[in-house]
């Protein structure tokens, strides 16, 4: 099957696949009856913006649903081959892709993270909202320091967000990822903004990191409750930083 992998690396094939994914996500958005909570979530987001929209990694396929035509947005996307497909899909949906990788450890500057951090700071300064997943790579539902660092350096708030659908395709991956299916019910829940002082010491940054986890847990639990489904990623986090699904399935 080496020829198939080689085919998948071709730019033309990746572009076609990314555009197809964007079209599919538009179909999911149009054919699900969405509830937004609170009802004035878009207005609230606009009032505190530009902001950092945070999601858990398992819901990263739903990032485009956060986009509003009146609020320019950029999203952090990994440099992997899968990331290339996601970047094409996002840009087809009007969301600019910032390419970079997170760090599995505690330093957000590792693995090209410094370049991505500078790009996200520039985006926020230029008036774009920035969307990214809060988890440490391969450690589900444990917020990393990177998103707190971005909030501290930019002075912009972190806003926990969850977007889910009642019908979905679930994956047995480390983050229990899922992708929405058409013709069902959907929910978008936006949490309270979390501000991080530029002068925050390590204890203050850790408190903010935990607040991000609590906020994301809350909006995801509420969103799944609104569509009458269980959160497939609930319970993955362990307090010691390990994860019940710490490796790709």
């Amino acid at each position: 099957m080496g020829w198939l992998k080689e085919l998948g690396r071709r730019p033309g094939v990746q572009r076609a696949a990314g555009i197809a994914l964007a079209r599919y996500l538009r179909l999911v958005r149009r054919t699900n009856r969405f509830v937004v909570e609170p009802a004035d979530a878009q207005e609230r987001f606009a009032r505190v913006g530009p902001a950092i929209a945070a999601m858990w990694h398992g819901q990263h396929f739903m990032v485009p649903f956060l986009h509003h035509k009146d609020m320019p947005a950029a999203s952090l996307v990994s440099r992997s081959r899968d990331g290339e497909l996601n970047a094409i899909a996002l840009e087809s949906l009007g969301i600019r892709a910032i390419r970079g990788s997170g760090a599995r450890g505690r330093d957000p500057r590792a693995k090209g993270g410094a370049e991505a951090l500078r790009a996200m700071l520039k985006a926020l300064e230029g008036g774009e909202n920035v969307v990214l997943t809060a988890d440490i790579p391969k450690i589900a539902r444990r917020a990393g320091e990177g998103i707190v660092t971005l909030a501290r350096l930019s002075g912009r708030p972190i806003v926990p967000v969850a977007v889910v659908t009642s019908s979905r395709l679930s994956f047995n991956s480390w983050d229990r990822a899922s992708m929405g299916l058409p013709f069902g019910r959907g929910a978008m829940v936006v949490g309270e903004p979390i501000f991080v002082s530029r002068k925050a010491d390590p204890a203050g940054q850790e408190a903010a990191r935990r607040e991000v986890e609590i906020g994301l847990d809350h909006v995801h639990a509420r969103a799944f409750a609104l569509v009458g489904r269980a959160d497939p990623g609930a319970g993955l986090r362990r307090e010691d930083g390990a994860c019940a699904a710490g490796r790709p399935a």
Side-chain angles (χ1 to χ4, degrees):
M1 300 294 286
W3 66 271
L4 189 57
K5 291 183 179 180
E6 183 61 32
L7 182 65
R9 294 191 182 101
R10 294 183 181 179
V13 174
Q14 288 182 332
R15 179 155 189 80
I19 292 172
L21 176 59
R23 289 175 177 171
Y24 173 77
L25 291 172
R26 285 194 186 100
L27 174 66
V28 174
R29 181 68 181 89
R30 287 198 307 268
T31 59
N32 278 276
R33 302 183 304 277
F34 269 86
V35 173
V36 178
E37 189 173 284
D40 63 344
Q42 296 285 3
E43 291 78 6
R44 289 190 184 191
F45 208 99
R47 284 198 294 269
V48 300
I52 303 160
M55 303 179 78
W56 282 139
H57 197 279
Q59 299 300 315
H60 58 282
F61 289 114
M62 310 301 279
V63 165
F65 290 66
L66 301 178
H67 184 237
H68 189 279
K69 60 183 178 64
D70 296 327
M71 294 189 293
S75 179
L76 180 64
V77 182
S78 77
R79 294 174 174 175
S80 67
R81 188 171 62 193
D82 290 342
E84 180 65 22
L85 185 149
N86 291 335
I88 293 168
L90 287 171
E91 292 184 342
S92 296
L93 294 165
I95 301 174
R96 187 170 66 87
I98 295 174
R99 305 304 297 275
S101 299
R104 185 167 186 173
R106 301 181 67 85
D107 188 350
R109 297 168 298 179
K111 294 179 61 182
E115 181 181 347
L117 178 60
R118 287 194 295 270
M120 289 187 288
L121 287 169
K122 185 176 180 180
L124 289 164
E125 185 178 353
E128 289 180 290
N129 294 303
V130 170
V131 185
L132 71 160
T133 55
D135 322 43
I136 297 172
K138 301 297 188 291
I139 303 180
R141 304 291 174 105
R142 181 170 176 82
E145 292 184 353
I147 193 168
V148 174
T149 298
L150 178 61
R152 181 175 62 83
L153 294 178
S154 67
R156 306 314 306 167
I158 301 167
V159 180
V161 180
V163 184
V164 306
T165 54
S166 57
S167 298
R168 64 186 186 274
L169 179 64
S170 297
F171 304 92
N172 188 28
S173 54
W174 64 270
D175 55 1
R176 297 299 186 266
S178 61
M179 180 184 291
L181 294 174
F183 310 110
R185 291 171 291 116
M188 178 188 298
V189 179
V190 177
E192 294 296 323
I194 300 166
F195 290 87
V196 183
S197 170
R198 294 180 188 270
K199 297 180 180 180
D201 60 13
Q205 293 177 58
E206 172 61 16
R209 190 195 67 78
R210 292 299 299 269
E211 191 175 355
V212 171
E213 288 182 345
I214 293 168
L216 281 170
D217 285 346
H218 172 74
V219 295
H220 278 76
R222 179 58 182 161
F224 276 105
L226 286 171
V227 299
R229 298 291 186 270
D231 180 356
L236 287 180
R237 182 174 61 247
R238 293 180 181 172
E239 292 307 314
D240 60 1
C243 177
R247 295 291 189 274

